[in-house]
Amino acid sequence: MTTTTASPTRRDALPWSALLALGTAVFITSLTETLPAGVLPQMSSSLGVSSGAAGQTVTVYATGTALTAIPLAAATAGVRRKPLLLAAMTVFLVANTLTAAASGYAVLLVSRFLAGVAAGLAWAVLAGYARRIAPAGQEGRAIAIAMTGIPLALSLGVPAGTLIGQQIGWRVSFAAISVTTLAVLGWITSSVPAISRPSATAEEPKPTTRQTLRVPGVTAVMVVVVTLVLGHTVIYAYIAPYLRHAGLGTAVDAILLAFGIACLVSIWCTSRHIDSRPRELALTAAALFTIATAAFAATTAQAVVWVAAVAWGLGWGAAPTLLQTAAAHAGIRRGPAIADTAQAILVTLWNAAMALGGIIGGLLLQQVSITADAVTAAGLGLLSLAVIALTRQHAFAPTDQEAP
């Protein structure tokens, strides 16, 4: 097996098959994480639990990722990336199959936690993998292609899974993901080149979390990760109850489809400009998210809800690519090992924010009202917008901009 490392001799052409295979892995893990939002009523009814309790399946998945991403990334520092990715996706396949076959709520939570652990390790590898097999100067675009799996999961996967869940059963939705995972394992095996981990062969010690966060720009990116992902999850995990509140309970799959298509448009635009205009894209994404969730809080007029859902998708679709690229770029100026550690921190904080968002959203839904979820999301979006606007020097800088 040939091991590939980043070097100036890489070909200018993007390795499309490999990047699409990585993107499909992102699609599967993202879909599995967010699918409960579309089938929440079916899951709660089948398991005999409340919507808030069913929503905690998102929280548990995210918790598994948040608790283990950094420790597992450190523990596997010397492991070759391709076998590690394949192993992570295999464990994910087993855990997701257990989810589909879960006999009760407790078993479901355990299987979701295990799936989150496996997905967290995969996510800690995926963005760095895409960056390192890309030609020089196209790292941001390569990450954007791999991260296309997220909007595809939202635009196609969640609506399709929601429809299957409504017509056949939520278990069939998760079983279909397991079948797809088998195919992706074969695709990764045949198409993705093997790479080594830079920090595994570097002479200097691996950077710690504290050292990485001290790198200019890294902490600012992580603050935006926490605020934006937390705000998104607070409302997205409970979008079905919100839409029922707005009189659109029968249109959940259609609205999620509109949201996801807007995400696709967003990531297409982002991939064209991510290496040259990341700050403008980040400001636009945060502003659109804030406006959309504020509209959800202000009114349940159905026309406004539809428009706000599209605006939300236009803002959120760009977020994963923008944040992954910003973290990688801030770190890479101090070396590949710092960039890898930054990615592990991002995965941890991303999923910690998702876990906390599921908890906060469920408490607000049960103790206050679904409108409180939207208000909270809008406030967090505004905070993320402020951080992006105030961090002008190091965070969200163009890929070709050197550190001052």
Side-chain angles (χ1 to χ4, degrees), residues 12-50:
D12 291 336
L14 285 166
W16 279 98
S17 182
L19 290 173
L20 290 175
L22 297 179
T24 307
V26 172
F27 168 85
I28 292 169
T29 54
S30 179
L31 173 58
T32 301
E33 185 165 26
T34 56
L35 182 57
V39 295
L40 209 59
Q42 291 75 32
M43 291 182 74
S44 62
S45 175
S46 170
L47 297 168
V49 297
S50 67

Side-chain angles (χ1 to χ4, degrees), residues 142-229:
I143 293 174
I145 293 168
M147 292 301 108
T148 302
I150 295 176
L152 282 175
L154 296 173
S155 64
L156 301 178
V158 174
T162 300
L163 182 61
I164 292 172
Q166 291 173 344
Q167 300 298 321
I168 305 176
W170 64 270
R171 297 178 188 276
V172 178
S173 299
F174 283 96
I177 297 175
S178 292
V179 173
T180 306
T181 305
L182 277 174
V184 171
L185 282 167
W187 192 0
I188 292 173
T189 300
S190 62
S191 297
V192 177
I195 61 172
S196 62
R197 178 163 179 149
S199 59
T201 58
E203 294 182 1
E204 69 272 11
K206 295 185 291 294
T208 65
T209 297
R210 179 176 297 182
Q211 290 170 334
T212 302
L213 291 174
R214 286 176 177 172
V215 173
V218 172
T219 295
V221 173
M222 299 308 166
V223 170
V224 177
V225 168
V226 172
T227 53
L228 199 57
V229 174

Side-chain angles (χ1 to χ4, degrees), residues 2-370:
T2 302
T3 299
T4 302
T5 56
S7 73
T9 62
R10 289 177 298 180
R11 295 181 301 171
D12 291 336
L14 285 166
W16 279 98
S17 182
L19 290 173
L20 290 175
L22 297 179
T24 307
V26 172
F27 168 85
I28 292 169
T29 54
S30 179
L31 173 58
T32 301
E33 185 165 26
T34 56
L35 182 57
V39 295
L40 209 59
Q42 291 75 32
M43 291 182 74
S44 62
S45 175
S46 170
L47 297 168
V49 297
S50 67
S51 293
Q56 298 316 303
T57 57
V58 176
T59 302
V60 169
Y61 185 106
T63 300
T65 299
L67 290 177
T68 60
I70 291 177
L72 284 178
T76 57
V79 179
R80 288 181 298 173
R81 301 293 91 186
K82 185 171 180 177
L84 181 62
L85 177 59
L86 289 170
M89 293 303 296
T90 300
V91 174
F92 178 82
L93 167 64
V94 172
N96 197 61
T97 303
L98 288 174
T99 297
S103 58
Y105 186 62
V107 176
L108 178 66
L109 292 181
V110 171
S111 66
R112 291 285 292 174
F113 181 85
L114 181 59
V117 171
L121 180 56
W123 269 69
V125 173
L126 284 165
Y129 218 131
R131 172 173 55 81
R132 292 178 59 205
I133 64 175
Q138 297 193 61
E139 292 87 353
R141 191 179 180 202
I143 293 174
I145 293 168
M147 292 301 108
T148 302
I150 295 176
L152 282 175
L154 296 173
S155 64
L156 301 178
V158 174
T162 300
L163 182 61
I164 292 172
Q166 291 173 344
Q167 300 298 321
I168 305 176
W170 64 270
R171 297 178 188 276
V172 178
S173 299
F174 283 96
I177 297 175
S178 292
V179 173
T180 306
T181 305
L182 277 174
V184 171
L185 282 167
W187 192 0
I188 292 173
T189 300
S190 62
S191 297
V192 177
I195 61 172
S196 62
R197 178 163 179 149
S199 59
T201 58
E203 294 182 1
E204 69 272 11
K206 295 185 291 294
T208 65
T209 297
R210 179 176 297 182
Q211 290 170 334
T212 302
L213 291 174
R214 286 176 177 172
V215 173
V218 172
T219 295
V221 173
M222 299 308 166
V223 170
V224 177
V225 168
V226 172
T227 53
L228 199 57
V229 174
L230 181 60
H232 169 77
T233 308
V234 162
I235 186 66
Y236 188 83
Y238 302 96
I239 192 62
Y242 174 83
L243 293 175
R244 287 202 304 268
H245 171 68
L248 291 165
T250 59
V252 174
D253 53 348
I255 290 177
L256 287 177
L257 178 61
F259 168 82
I261 291 173
C263 284
L264 284 177
V265 173
S266 176
I267 202 168
W268 178 80
C269 294
T270 299
S271 68
R272 293 173 61 86
H273 303 289
I274 183 66
D275 291 309
S276 60
R277 305 181 67 183
R279 179 174 302 282
E280 293 89 339
L281 290 169
L283 287 169
T284 301
L288 285 169
F289 173 80
T290 303
I291 292 169
T293 50
F296 285 153
T299 179
T300 55
Q302 294 187 3
V304 175
V305 171
W306 275 96
V307 173
V310 172
W312 180 13
L314 290 173
W316 178 251
T321 297
L322 286 168
L323 295 171
Q324 292 269 13
T325 304
H329 180 54
I332 198 66
R333 290 177 291 179
R334 296 292 181 87
I338 289 285
D340 278 359
T341 304
Q343 291 296 332
I345 294 171
L346 183 147
V347 170
T348 296
L349 292 178
W350 184 292
N351 286 277
M354 289 197 69
L356 186 58
I359 294 170
I360 292 174
L363 290 173
L364 291 172
L365 174 63
Q366 293 179 344
Q367 303 298 325
V368 187
S369 69
I370 189 62

